[in-house]
Amino acid sequence: MILPIVLYGDPILKKNTTHVAPDHEGLQTLIKDMFETMYAADGVGLAAPQIGQSLNIFIVDATPFQEEYPETKDLKKVFINAEIIEESGEPWYFNEGCLSFPELREDVLRKPVIKIQYFDEDFVKNEEVFDGLTARIIQHEYDHVKGKVFVDKISFLKRRLIKNKLNDIAKGKTNAKYRVKRTAK
Ligand code: NI
């Protein structure tokens, strides 16, 4: 089922999420719905708060990037109760977007290498190292389950410049090509 995507301005995007138990009711359905929702919106990552569930789950499918960024090959994964253990390397900029901020893109600085522990959809514990764009997509989604969004990482000055755009999104004024959940103000 394709679910509406929560827009910036909804308080759920600022909340730290709840740990997910292996017997969480409806977990597989939720994961399936998240993939359907992400694909319908042409996204490469989606976190549970973005569909209105304050749970520590995010998904990524970076394969649309694989020609330009070979490190993203086969990166289609579910991350449950993830913890980034280490981030390293010289920070680099990449122009990021987010389904909760339709039509907004900003350069964000992040470190290129991460070591992360997480449980997959079968609740098998993994520890892996990711780099480049793969790491970046994971870092962006990881921020969502920690109650942070990508505009939290841009300078105060830049944020002031996009203030009107942000206010519009928060008011539900957007031409998003996918279903969104507008927060009543
Ligand atoms: Ni996002």
Side-chain angles (χ1 to χ4, degrees), residues 65-75 131 133-134:
F65 285 113
Q66 69 186 15
E67 261 179 40
E68 211 178 335
Y69 298 89
E71 70 271 23
T72 61
K73 197 176 176 293
D74 302 326
L75 184 78
D131 66 2
L133 194 61
T134 306

Side-chain angles (χ1 to χ4, degrees), residues 1-4 24-41 46-48 51 53 55 57-61 76-80 120-122:
M1 188 173 41
I2 297 167
L3 303 163
H24 184 86
E25 209 188 310
L27 180 63
Q28 296 310 321
T29 309
L30 175 67
I31 291 168
K32 197 171 152 273
D33 289 349
M34 285 177 71
F35 273 106
E36 274 181 41
T37 301
M38 180 179 76
Y39 292 136
L46 185 73
I51 48 136
Q53 298 267 355
L55 293 169
I57 306 178
F58 62 86
I59 59 166
V60 298
D61 184 347
K76 182 186 169 185
K77 277 182 194 293
V78 177
F79 294 80
I80 300 172
D120 63 20
E121 63 274 37
D122 302 316

Side-chain angles (χ1 to χ4, degrees), residues 101-162:
F101 298 74
E103 297 169 314
L104 184 75
R105 298 200 72 92
E106 287 299 326
D107 288 338
V108 179
L109 198 60
R110 297 187 194 269
K111 288 184 178 173
V113 185
I114 58 163
K115 188 195 271 185
I116 188 168
Q117 265 181 9
Y118 65 98
F119 293 85
D120 63 20
E121 63 274 37
D122 302 316
F123 257 88
V124 175
K125 194 175 185 178
N126 292 278
E127 185 176 305
E128 271 183 278
V129 173
F130 295 98
D131 66 2
L133 194 61
T134 306
R136 159 122 4 213
I137 296 166
I138 294 167
Q139 287 162 317
H140 177 116
E141 298 312 323
Y142 180 79
D143 279 352
H144 277 299
V145 296
K146 299 285 176 187
K148 284 182 275 174
V149 288
F150 78 126
V151 295
D152 295 339
K153 299 197 100 83
I154 64 176
S155 70
F156 177 70
L157 206 71
K158 226 157 173 204
R159 246 178 113 139
R160 268 183 52 181
L161 289 171
I162 59 166

